[in-house]
Amino acid sequence: MKGYEKESFLAPLFKMLEATFELIVPLVVARIMDIGIKNQDNVYIWHQCVIMVLLGVIGLACSLIAQYFSAKAAIMSKRESLLFVILETS
């Protein structure tokens, strides 16, 4: 992937960030159950729900960015190899 080092680094980085945000969600749900429901604290429950939605939105954004960089690297590397084949045969 020579020439696409940035894309080759950023795509897995954002995919890892997406996975990290998705792994945090069960911890938030556990806190809702352990603290919010146990103490019947509706404000705390809503606060944690907002945090969960934010984690989902940030995870989605990271996923889209990762897909963008992956597709960009894949298309450009294929385009270069196709151009090389065309130049070799002509």
Side-chain angles (χ1 to χ4, degrees):
M1 301 290 297
K2 193 167 187 148
Y4 302 101
E5 291 85 9
K6 180 179 84 169
E7 289 83 0
S8 298
F9 174 75
L10 289 176
L13 174 70
F14 279 103
K15 197 50 114 169
M16 182 186 68
L17 286 173
E18 175 202 0
T20 303
F21 286 120
E22 288 187 13
L23 289 172
I24 294 172
V25 170
L27 299 174
V28 175
V29 172
R31 287 196 324 202
I32 289 173
M33 292 179 179
D34 293 342
I35 298 171
I37 294 175
K38 181 180 175 184
N39 298 333
Q40 297 179 348
D41 187 355
N42 287 335
V43 174
Y44 182 81
I45 294 171
W46 281 108
H47 182 260
Q48 295 303 307
C49 288
V50 169
I51 289 174
M52 243 184 344
V53 169
L54 288 175
L55 288 171
V57 169
I58 294 169
L60 176 65
C62 288
S63 175
L64 294 174
I65 293 169
Q67 289 302 111
Y68 169 77
F69 284 123
S70 296
K72 184 176 177 183
I75 289 173
M76 295 308 285
S77 66
K78 289 296 180 184
R79 183 179 290 172
E80 285 180 2
S81 64
L82 180 62
L83 181 63
F84 180 74
V85 169
I86 291 171
L87 290 176
E88 285 289 314
T89 58
S90 59

